[in-house]
Amino acid sequence: MKSLQECSNEKQCASAVVFLKDGKCEIFAEVYPHYRNKKSKNSDSPSTEVTKHSEEILIGQIDEYLQSNGIHVQSILFYTLNSPCLKREKHTDPCMFKLVEMAHQWQSKFGFSTVVAFTKFWGLSGPNFFKDLTYSDISSPSSDFYPYIETCKTIPFKLNSKDFRNNVKKRSIYNTIPYVEVSDKRKLDNDIKSALRDLVKLAESSFGLRKEHLERGEEKISSFTFDPLVQDKSFEFLTKNWNEMVTNCSMSPIREKITTDFNIAVVFLFLKELKSTLGNSSPLRLYCVPQNWFREYVKLIKILYVDHNIM
């Protein structure tokens, strides 16, 4: 048996083991998606685009291998870090559909079934499906996502100081305070710049629950001193923007939880439909395995293939 290598903990890849009838097996090394650079619409810098998923690359390699060796195959165990996609752009068939199609062809031609194991639920588009969901979208009790605010309130999160800087710059504190009435404008400018630097620094180091972030911001802002003519307005402006940043950043764990639940539900719905259509005779079976899959995978091969020789 050739040695196996584990896929990176975070980088999507796929690999497979083809078990042969003579007691041997063929290992297909991990493959990674193909990318190409493309011009971003909103930026001069290029971004990357996936042109071929790791699953479809591996499917092609396995299918080519089976053309000469299919009659010797007992079964196939296929692993992909993320569950095969269920949606593709540009009229490309999703990897899940391709796997069902190819597993059916392989079973019809060679008589074996295919097992697909994965660690993370990808659903329709992975972690980005709810990327544009905002707090205002879910803050109403009538929203289906409203309960997630309570569910995720004990999950700590980081602050994004860029969010704070952009809002402060866009709104400008000078549009809020009676700047022209201040006698020492240079001192006020320096005080405001110093306060903003301190708040950005605090945001970059702040990690915790929503309440903790709000309290830290309130404590820091109350420590500043501005010209008495603008102090109250300055505090109000800084507090409003700080609290808005905290609210926006609190969506990070909420979006992650919603996305995870949604992706799991989508994959299970697909499996339910697959079972209702093909029943127990389905040529493809899917299993979710833990992050430390590699060790368990080796144990599985040993138990099923070596010790008991039942494959």
Side-chain angles (χ1 to χ4, degrees):
M1 182 185 297
K2 297 178 183 178
S3 63
L4 294 174
Q5 295 183 25
E6 187 174 15
C7 291
S8 165
N9 284 340
E10 297 299 331
K11 191 174 181 181
Q12 165 60 18
C13 66
S15 57
V17 178
V18 175
F19 296 96
L20 304 175
K21 296 174 182 178
D22 63 2
K24 298 178 181 178
C25 64
E26 289 291 334
I27 308 299
F28 284 76
E30 65 270 19
V31 293
Y32 297 86
H34 289 173
Y35 297 91
R36 72 178 174 195
N37 289 335
K38 68 172 184 176
K39 186 77 174 291
S40 176
K41 294 180 180 179
N42 301 318
S43 174
D44 293 332
S45 59
S47 60
T48 57
E49 177 185 29
V50 178
T51 57
K52 214 165 189 179
H53 287 188
S54 54
E55 296 95 331
E56 61 184 316
I57 298 171
L58 188 58
I59 288 171
Q61 293 179 1
I62 292 175
D63 191 53
E64 182 178 356
Y65 171 83
L66 294 176
Q67 300 313 308
S68 302
N69 302 280
I71 59 173
H72 305 299
V73 175
Q74 183 72 37
S75 63
I76 294 178
L77 182 55
F78 190 110
Y79 176 75
T80 173
L81 179 64
N82 296 300
S83 64
C85 67
L86 287 161
K87 181 182 178 182
R88 293 286 293 275
E89 303 295 335
K90 300 179 181 178
H91 309 291
T92 303
D93 290 337
C95 293
M96 189 76 83
F97 296 173
K98 289 184 179 181
L99 277 166
V100 173
E101 178 186 3
M102 296 309 297
H104 175 71
Q105 288 186 21
W106 296 337
Q107 185 183 64
S108 300
K109 190 172 182 179
F110 305 116
F112 62 80
S113 60
T114 302
V115 172
V116 175
F118 64 90
T119 296
K120 300 179 180 179
F121 288 86
W122 186 259
L124 296 176
S125 62
N128 298 318
F129 196 78
F130 292 97
K131 65 180 180 179
D132 297 322
L133 194 67
T134 65
Y135 190 83
S136 61
D137 294 328
I138 71 169
S139 57
S140 170
S142 62
S143 170
D144 291 334
F145 298 129
Y146 180 75
Y148 280 92
I149 296 177
E150 180 69 19
T151 300
C152 298
K153 72 177 185 179
T154 59
I155 302 176
F157 57 91
K158 294 177 63 176
L159 296 182
N160 184 354
S161 61
K162 181 180 178 181
D163 188 28
F164 177 76
R165 290 197 303 269
N166 287 344
N167 283 341
V168 168
K169 182 178 180 180
K170 179 174 64 177
R171 293 162 182 169
S172 180
I173 192 171
Y174 298 108
N175 294 332
T176 304
I177 62 175
Y179 182 71
V180 294
E181 299 178 16
V182 177
S183 57
D184 193 344
K185 294 181 176 58
R186 177 174 294 182
K187 183 178 185 308
L188 176 60
D189 289 341
N190 290 334
D191 289 343
I192 289 175
K193 290 177 182 178
S194 176
L196 292 176
R197 282 196 299 269
D198 287 350
L199 287 173
V200 167
K201 186 177 180 180
L202 176 63
E204 290 174 346
S205 63
S206 186
F207 178 79
L209 304 179
R210 176 187 172 91
K211 181 181 178 182
E212 294 169 337
H213 290 303
L214 293 175
E215 289 174 348
R216 288 173 192 146
E218 182 181 3
E219 181 181 0
K220 175 61 70 173
I221 292 170
S222 65
S223 70
F224 299 143
T225 301
F226 300 106
D227 187 292
L229 284 173
V230 302
Q231 177 140 311
D232 289 345
K233 286 288 187 180
S234 298
F235 281 1
E236 181 182 336
F237 176 85
L238 295 174
T239 300
K240 177 183 177 181
N241 283 278
W242 178 271
N243 291 353
E244 187 173 315
M245 172 187 60
V246 172
T247 296
N248 291 339
C249 293
S250 72
M251 282 299 296
S252 178
I254 293 174
R255 276 192 292 265
E256 184 175 345
K257 176 62 175 170
I258 291 173
T259 301
T260 298
D261 289 351
F262 176 77
N263 287 344
I264 291 173
V266 166
V267 173
F268 272 101
L269 179 61
F270 173 83
L271 295 178
K272 182 179 179 180
E273 290 296 315
L274 186 65
K275 184 174 178 60
S276 67
T277 303
L278 301 176
N280 295 327
S281 62
S282 173
L284 181 72
R285 288 173 288 159
L286 287 96
Y287 299 94
C288 181
V289 297
Q291 187 74 35
N292 61 344
W293 174 83
F294 180 66
R295 293 196 197 97
E296 301 302 320
Y297 180 42
V298 173
K299 291 179 184 177
L300 182 63
I301 293 176
K302 187 174 186 297
I303 293 171
L304 296 182
Y305 192 72
V306 179
D307 291 350
H308 300 289
N309 194 29
I310 63 174
M311 299 190 73

